[in-house]
Amino acid sequence: MAQRRVTLADVAERAGLSTTAASRVLNGREGTRLSEDARQRVLAAAKELGYRPNPAARSLRLNKTATIALISDTVVTTRFAGAMIRGALNAARERDHVVLITETQGDPDIERDAIDAMLHRQVDGVIYAAMSSRRITVPPQLLTLPTVLLNATSNRRLPAVLPAEEEAAYAVTSAVLDRGHRNVAVLGRNEAYERDAHLSLAAKLRMQGIRKALADHGHRLAASEYTEDWDVPGGFDGMTALLRRPNRPTAVICMNDRLAVGAYNAASEAGLSIPADLSVVSFDDDPIAEALRPGLTTAALPHEAMGQLAAELVLDANPEPGIRWVPMPLRERSSVAPPAG
Amino acid sequence: MAQRRVTLADVAERAGLSTTAASRVLNGREGTRLSEDARQRVLAAAKELGYRPNPAARSLRLNKTATIALISDTVVTTRFAGAMIRGALNAARERDHVVLITETQGDPDIERDAIDAMLHRQVDGVIYAAMSSRRITVPPQLLTLPTVLLNATSNRRLPAVLPAEEEAAYAVTSAVLDRGHRNVAVLGRNEAYERDAHLSLAAKLRMQGIRKALADHGHRLAASEYTEDWDVPGGFDGMTALLRRPNRPTAVICMNDRLAVGAYNAASEAGLSIPADLSVVSFDDDPIAEALRPGLTTAALPHEAMGQLAAELVLDANPEPGIRWVPMPLRERSSVAPPAG
DNA sequence: CTGTTAGCGCTTTCAA
DNA sequence: TTGAAAGCGCTAACAG
């Protein structure tokens, strides 16, 4: 077992040629023409022997590794992350590359080490990903090799892949407006997020899309409720407050699905039924959205497509800098109905 | 920019020594003793220059790459997967290794290619992971290098890391028995799973733990309900059936959290309140368990610890074959109360 | 205590 | 149309 690896020399010998010739054939070098006969012999020999070039030797020679790095703050750990990784993996495999994954956990020391390690390993490019979409500062070392931002933007002229939040917000809002709702509230307002792109890109873009849809339909926001965090308790408290207001909304746009879960709970506790008494729409398509009863209509974060695109961009010759907005499909389930009465 | 990498030769020159000497110092070779002075000079030079060995050159020479591969069917994509990856990443980083991730998507062709690619890259070891814990057939090529099974067992004598399902089932069951419940049902029985380890390890082990706890407490299972899949609709239908039985249970053990979500829905629809009218316990600690109201008491799949242990085992000199059972912590929330009356 | 030399497997200049 | 030889950066026999 563990038989000796077959090397280029083996292939050459079997083909009755030099390693030079074998190398040229196998790499499809155009400059120098070998006889068709020689070509075939090399190809045959390589096939019979099951030859595969030694990547270490290759990269020592070429300074290339057929490897890309996926560096993220803590992406890997999110429920959404899997899809991003899968997308990147698929794109990489299609181009015969493999993917090295690192997590920096937001720690600058770990990050520096991680990036250094990747650079020393001579990865051919890096995908620098953020868990939640936001504006980041790109470590300068990354500027020396092909880098693509995933779920993030920066001050640098780099390609970046982001979910088309504004467009999605427009669609989500329209879904509710088109059913005849006029008294529409937003749950999860947070000025800090909306103002600071370093905290969140989604908050601002989603609000813009919502406002634009309302304006285009000739309406305005009936109410909006602050929430410190976009989580279940926040949603519960916020929705409870919203329901206590005079003239309570007939539809609520939640800034994400976890808020929506809280909103569901609050509605249920208030004896309101969804969607009969209250329509709910949201963002993310968290796995939870499907498990809710009734199923939650929400705009899905297109993580797999994003991961895929990011990997493709990294492996592109030289991609244009700038943002790629990846569409967020609207998953229509059962949480929207026309307003009562 | 992109200034020339600093090589061992640079360090040696600066230290006024040969590369051999520098190499020996840097690798802490014991056999040959260098003068303390020389040692210090090399160390200093390396530091000043910011020297890091070229991994490609190193692995060409040593057939080692300081890399481990994480090969999984579709682990990467699961909600749980992130934690496994994170655990493995941390353990690897601590030992100055990096990790290559691949997903086979259950496709044998992709799997063969992926494994081949990893072997050719001379990874130092592989973690072979399954999404849901089950018995698998290990591709023979993997037997030529250190391999650890993660969330899986096999017919081979390999180290394997699994959640301590039986122990957890015992704890989960006891949690309900200790509160005084006597009329306890199981939701999610599935003979096919329980019998066939290639489909699921959890089904059988969980049932064993449940039975043992009941026996030890001098009770027996009041009812058990079949479910084709362990998902939300299955849980809903199963629980609905359970509630229609004469002498309905006061507590239900769900085989996983998604079933429990369905059970919650069914209980709510039947006008039953949890935990006053019905106690619910479960397995997995899916993120959803925390979002439910009331919070679901459940035994957590210890994915991060498992990933970490797997990586440690791979990097161990030669780990004993056999199963490592990783404890599943019981997350006690609010879904359990003494039976009514 | 330290250095010379060979060689890991590959690609590429240069020469034939 | 083909091959010899050098060299990527490193480590390890073998000498001294």
Side-chain angles (χ1 to χ4, degrees), chain A residues 105-327:
Chain A
Q105 302 174 24
D107 176 330
D109 289 340
I110 297 186
E111 169 162 299
R112 202 172 11 72
D113 280 4
I115 295 179
D116 267 21
M118 294 303 158
L119 294 187
H120 268 90
R121 277 172 187 267
Q122 323 207 55
V123 297
D124 297 341
V126 356
I127 300 176
Y128 190 76
M131 173 183 67
S132 63
S133 71
R134 57 198 178 82
R135 187 180 188 87
I136 53 161
T137 307
V138 179
Q141 331 157 51
L142 285 185
L143 299 173
T144 62
L145 82 174
T147 298
V148 169
L149 269 24
L150 177 53
N151 213 20
T153 49
S154 74
N155 50 337
R156 306 295 191 157
R157 297 190 72 250
L158 289 176
V161 177
L162 285 171
E165 304 276 12
E166 184 170 348
E167 182 188 295
Y170 193 99
V172 155
T173 308
S174 300
V176 130
L177 259 22
D178 292 346
R179 292 295 190 97
H181 289 273
R182 297 295 172 259
N183 188 350
V184 177
V186 168
L187 175 58
R189 293 301 304 278
N190 191 316
E191 290 262 320
Y193 286 166
E194 285 165 33
R195 209 163 17 206
D196 188 352
H198 287 271
L199 291 178
S200 165
L201 255 29
K204 183 177 180 189
L205 294 170
R206 289 175 184 181
M207 275 315 297
Q208 282 175 6
I210 292 169
R211 286 226 179 72
K212 185 152 193 312
L214 282 162
D216 284 2
H217 287 74
H219 305 301
R220 46 205 252 330
L221 201 53
S224 61
E225 185 69 33
Y226 167 87
T227 261
E228 184 168 350
D229 295 307
W230 283 3
D231 57 11
V232 178
F236 183 84
D237 296 343
M239 192 69 223
T240 302
L242 226 34
L243 292 177
R244 286 217 190 90
R245 297 198 185 188
N247 191 19
R248 69 168 168 74
T250 62
V252 59
I253 302 172
C254 303
M255 293 300 261
N256 81 356
D257 291 342
R258 280 177 302 163
L259 286 169
V261 173
Y264 267 54
N265 293 337
S268 146
E269 218 148 279
L272 259 33
S273 142
I274 298 171
D277 305 318
L278 179 73
S279 288
V280 181
V281 289
S282 174
F283 297 88
D284 287 2
D285 197 28
D286 191 301
I288 212 173
E290 193 177 20
L292 286 175
R293 287 175 56 88
L296 176 63
T297 291
T298 184
L301 250 10
H303 285 295
E304 181 161 347
M306 290 169 61
Q308 165 135 10
L309 180 54
E312 286 168 0
L313 288 170
V314 166
L315 296 177
D316 253 21
N318 35 28
E320 291 289 315
I323 299 180
R324 271 68 166 178
W325 300 104
V326 180

Side-chain angles (χ1 to χ4, degrees), chain B residues 192-211:
Chain B
Y193 286 165
E194 285 165 34
R195 213 166 13 211
D196 188 351
H198 288 271
L199 290 177
S200 165
L201 255 29
K204 183 178 179 186
L205 294 170
R206 289 177 183 180
M207 274 316 296
Q208 281 175 7
I210 292 170
R211 286 225 179 74

Side-chain angles (χ1 to χ4, degrees), chain B residues 17 20 48 51-52 60 76 136 149 164 170 177-178 202 213-214 251 272 291 316 324 332 336:
Chain B
L17 288 168
T20 311
E48 288 161 26
Y51 170 72
R52 296 189 55 164
L60 182 56
V76 151
I136 54 161
L149 269 24
Y170 194 99
L177 259 22
D178 292 346
L214 283 162
L272 261 32
D316 253 22
R324 271 64 167 181
E332 306 208 47
V336 181

Side-chain angles (χ1 to χ4, degrees), chain B residues 4-340:
Chain B
R4 209 172 61 73
R5 295 176 57 107
V6 0
T7 76
L8 185 60
D10 299 329
V11 174
E13 187 186 5
R14 178 157 192 138
L17 288 168
S18 69
T19 58
T20 311
S23 170
R24 286 207 273 251
V25 170
L26 262 13
N27 292 296
R29 277 279 151 281
E30 315 241 319
T32 50
R33 291 163 321 190
L34 292 212
S35 68
E36 183 55 24
D37 179 52
R39 232 179 66 80
Q40 293 305 341
R41 287 200 326 265
V42 171
L43 259 19
K47 186 159 200 178
E48 288 161 26
L49 263 27
Y51 170 72
R52 296 189 55 164
N54 178 329
R58 218 144 196 272
S59 57
L60 182 56
R61 190 66 237 253
L62 300 178
N63 294 321
K64 287 191 184 159
T65 51
T67 302
I68 66 183
L70 175 50
I71 303 179
S72 72
D73 43 9
T74 164
V75 136
V76 151
T77 239
T78 307
R79 303 201 243 331
F80 300 121
M84 277 203 214
I85 299 179
R86 155 175 284 205
L89 249 32
N90 285 344
R93 188 185 46 242
E94 230 150 70
R95 294 155 188 239
D96 290 314
H97 280 239
V98 308
V99 1
L100 273 174
I101 299 209
T102 342
E103 205 189 43
T104 67
Q105 302 174 25
D107 177 328
D109 288 340
I110 298 186
E111 169 162 299
R112 202 173 11 74
D113 280 2
I115 295 179
D116 268 20
M118 294 304 158
L119 295 186
H120 268 90
R121 276 169 189 269
Q122 323 209 55
V123 298
D124 297 341
V126 356
I127 299 176
Y128 190 75
M131 173 185 66
S132 63
S133 71
R134 57 196 179 83
R135 187 180 189 85
I136 54 161
T137 306
V138 180
Q141 329 156 51
L142 285 185
L143 299 173
T144 63
L145 82 173
T147 298
V148 169
L149 269 24
L150 177 53
N151 213 19
T153 49
S154 74
N155 50 336
R156 305 295 192 159
R157 298 191 70 250
L158 289 175
V161 177
L162 285 171
E165 304 276 11
E166 185 171 346
E167 182 188 296
Y170 194 99
V172 155
T173 309
S174 300
V176 130
L177 259 22
D178 292 346
R179 291 295 188 97
H181 289 273
R182 297 296 170 258
N183 189 349
V184 178
V186 168
L187 175 59
R189 294 303 302 280
N190 191 314
E191 291 262 319
Y193 286 165
E194 285 165 34
R195 213 166 13 211
D196 188 351
H198 288 271
L199 290 177
S200 165
L201 255 29
K204 183 178 179 186
L205 294 170
R206 289 177 183 180
M207 274 316 296
Q208 281 175 7
I210 292 170
R211 286 225 179 74
K212 185 154 192 311
L214 283 162
D216 285 2
H217 286 73
H219 304 303
R220 46 202 251 329
L221 201 54
S224 62
E225 186 68 32
Y226 167 86
T227 261
E228 183 167 350
D229 294 307
W230 284 3
D231 57 10
V232 177
F236 183 84
D237 296 343
M239 192 70 221
T240 302
L242 227 34
L243 293 176
R244 285 218 190 91
R245 298 197 186 190
N247 190 20
R248 70 166 169 73
T250 62
V252 58
I253 303 173
C254 303
M255 293 301 261
N256 82 355
D257 290 344
R258 279 177 302 162
L259 286 169
V261 173
Y264 267 55
N265 292 337
S268 146
E269 217 148 279
L272 261 32
S273 140
I274 298 172
D277 305 318
L278 179 73
S279 288
V280 181
V281 289
S282 175
F283 297 88
D284 288 1
D285 199 26
D286 191 301
I288 212 175
E290 192 176 21
L292 286 174
R293 286 175 56 88
L296 176 62
T297 291
T298 184
L301 250 9
H303 285 294
E304 181 160 348
M306 290 169 62
Q308 165 136 9
L309 180 55
E312 286 168 0
L313 287 169
V314 166
L315 297 177
D316 253 22
N318 34 27
E320 290 288 316
I323 298 180
R324 271 64 167 181
W325 300 104
V326 180
M328 294 176 64
L330 186 64
R331 304 254 186 266
E332 306 208 47
R333 292 192 265 249
S334 321
S335 59
V336 181

